[in-house]
Amino acid sequence: MSGNQNYINHVALVLDASSSMSHLSRKVVEVADQQIAYLARRSGELDQETRVTVYVFADKVECVVYDKDVLRMPSLKQLYRTGGMTALLAASLKSQRELAQTAQLYGDHSFLTFVLTDGQENASHRSPDAPARDPRELVKAVAEMIETQEDNWTLAVLVPDQMGKREAMQCGFPKENIAIWDATSTQGLEEAGQVIKEATEKFMVGRAKGIRGSRAVFSTGGDAVNKDTIKAAGLAPVDPSAYQLLPVARDAAIREWVVESGHTYRTGGAFYQLSKPEKIQAKKQIAVLEKKTDRVYTGPEARALLGLPAVEARVKPDHNDDFTIFVQSTSVNRKLVPNTRLLLMV
């Protein structure tokens, strides 16, 4: 990309508007509007142009906003109405096919789409927007489309349960681009909004570092955290004399274990190994450990690598053969998990 070409992001929300979403409809509007406000703010801060497209789908798939400058987006209040069945495959196909017709001249263009649904596909075979009537043909069409998308396309989906996840994987959605949300409550929808925000943050920060697309938007696994993404994020290795790695041999509180291991406990100086899904506050630092060399990387870019926004966010440890995530502890009684390690900054 030559220096005078700007980053142009095309972000699409493809929202389920079937009858079962009616109890959440006000919340959908609120979460989508918040997402758009957030995109507007980050676009300004990162000097990236962002254009937003919104599709709503039930029996039919309707584009209600197309490639509009994020700074001029209306509220979705007048545009989101529920009623009907769930033409999920038709919505995925139509949104991507139409967006693919967007001009990509003069600039570094990238496409990021989030599909949000609260149920299983049940209407595409009847939808006027579907290219085929046979449900198996539709699944195949979606899988082929995803397989052949260019490297500057990212397609992610939020589904309500494990069954939805299995279906999305059968349709070719990359495993790490599928998240499960609690579709039974407004709280669940709020958390889904948070997940989308984190994934968008990771995407936009990655864009600034030259990453054009991702098959791991919801992941801390090897697709998301590896040598290339660490380098691209600008993470610097910490001087080996500035830290120590302590094995954790039993259940213990963090300060107790540090002292027992013969060190002084300093608040904020110890990082525990991320071993289960948990919420990480905005002020917490992140460190990444390369397993083979015990080399540690940290800095503000480490949060960006995981797509952590400047608010509390939920993170889960995905399988990663080469790297381990560590989280700064600011408490004295954080319970450590046996057979993990503790990173101590000295």
Side-chain angles (χ1 to χ4, degrees), residues 31-136:
V31 166
D33 285 354
Q34 281 169 357
Q35 177 67 17
I36 287 159
Y38 165 78
L39 275 172
R41 181 170 64 76
R42 289 304 276 149
S43 299
E45 288 164 358
L46 294 167
D47 191 25
Q48 297 179 14
E49 183 180 332
T50 300
R51 312 192 70 80
V52 177
T53 297
V54 181
Y55 284 85
V56 294
F57 67 93
D59 301 296
K60 296 208 301 283
V61 184
E62 197 186 349
C63 179
V64 291
V65 177
Y66 175 70
D67 213 39
K68 194 173 176 79
D69 178 3
V70 71
L71 303 174
R72 296 172 41 247
M73 275 291 293
S75 164
L76 294 192
K77 213 175 275 157
Q78 305 306 319
L79 305 172
Y80 182 78
R81 293 277 177 276
T82 56
M85 309 272 276
T86 309
L88 179 61
L89 297 174
S92 302
L93 283 165
K94 181 173 175 164
S95 64
Q96 300 306 283
R97 287 183 171 166
E98 291 187 350
L99 283 163
Q101 296 174 46
T102 311
Q104 296 187 53
L105 301 167
Y106 306 114
D108 184 336
H109 293 257
S110 198
F111 293 81
L112 171 66
T113 301
F114 292 102
V115 181
L116 176 82
T117 180
D118 77 333
Q120 264 71 50
E121 157 63 53
N122 60 18
S124 289
H125 60 287
R126 291 200 312 270
S127 169
D129 301 299
R133 289 283 165 262
D134 182 340
R136 284 174 312 220

Side-chain angles (χ1 to χ4, degrees), residues 51-309:
R51 312 192 70 80
V52 177
T53 297
V54 181
Y55 284 85
V56 294
F57 67 93
D59 301 296
K60 296 208 301 283
V61 184
E62 197 186 349
C63 179
V64 291
V65 177
Y66 175 70
D67 213 39
K68 194 173 176 79
D69 178 3
V70 71
L71 303 174
R72 296 172 41 247
M73 275 291 293
S75 164
L76 294 192
K77 213 175 275 157
Q78 305 306 319
L79 305 172
Y80 182 78
R81 293 277 177 276
T82 56
M85 309 272 276
T86 309
L88 179 61
L89 297 174
S92 302
L93 283 165
K94 181 173 175 164
S95 64
Q96 300 306 283
R97 287 183 171 166
E98 291 187 350
L99 283 163
Q101 296 174 46
T102 311
Q104 296 187 53
L105 301 167
Y106 306 114
D108 184 336
H109 293 257
S110 198
F111 293 81
L112 171 66
T113 301
F114 292 102
V115 181
L116 176 82
T117 180
D118 77 333
Q120 264 71 50
E121 157 63 53
N122 60 18
S124 289
H125 60 287
R126 291 200 312 270
S127 169
D129 301 299
R133 289 283 165 262
D134 182 340
R136 284 174 312 220
E137 286 295 311
L138 284 170
V139 167
K140 206 169 132 205
V142 173
E144 276 173 7
M145 175 196 74
I146 293 171
E147 187 54 42
T148 54
Q149 283 185 322
E150 300 282 335
D151 70 343
N152 61 332
W153 285 77
T154 303
L155 176 60
V157 62
L158 289 94
V159 294
D161 50 31
Q162 284 299 338
M163 190 171 147
K165 183 167 186 169
R166 273 200 308 277
E167 281 195 357
M169 282 170 68
Q170 280 166 355
C171 295
F173 279 89
K175 183 162 145 270
E176 306 294 5
N177 283 8
I178 306 167
I180 292 175
W181 68 292
D182 171 13
T184 61
S185 66
T186 53
Q187 168 75 22
L189 187 53
E190 193 133 310
E191 284 169 8
Q194 195 55 48
V195 166
I196 291 174
K197 191 182 278 189
E198 285 155 34
T200 309
E201 176 72 11
K202 189 176 186 172
F203 168 81
M204 291 179 84
V205 171
R207 290 283 284 137
K209 308 270 190 262
I211 298 166
R212 304 186 72 215
S214 170
R215 292 190 160 254
V217 292
F218 301 130
S219 168
T220 56
D223 291 349
V225 180
N226 56 53
K227 275 199 156 116
D228 294 339
T229 57
I230 284 171
K231 189 176 169 193
L235 278 171
V238 180
D239 182 339
S241 66
Y243 63 88
Q244 276 180 307
L245 287 156
L246 312 177
V248 179
R250 62 172 177 81
D251 280 314
I254 193 161
R255 179 170 63 183
E256 176 194 347
W257 190 250
V258 169
V259 173
E260 198 173 302
S261 306
H263 300 277
T264 311
Y265 182 76
R266 225 170 17 84
T267 306
F271 289 62
Y272 61 90
Q273 189 175 325
L274 183 68
S275 57
K276 62 181 198 314
E278 57 181 276
K279 290 188 171 163
I280 296 177
Q281 288 82 23
K283 299 250 187 313
K284 296 277 177 76
Q285 292 175 33
I286 297 291
V288 181
L289 170 85
E290 187 172 21
K291 293 178 184 176
K292 217 164 45 202
T293 60
D294 276 352
R295 186 179 292 149
V296 169
Y297 298 84
T298 189
E301 301 84 5
R303 283 184 64 91
L305 183 71
L306 301 189
L308 289 173

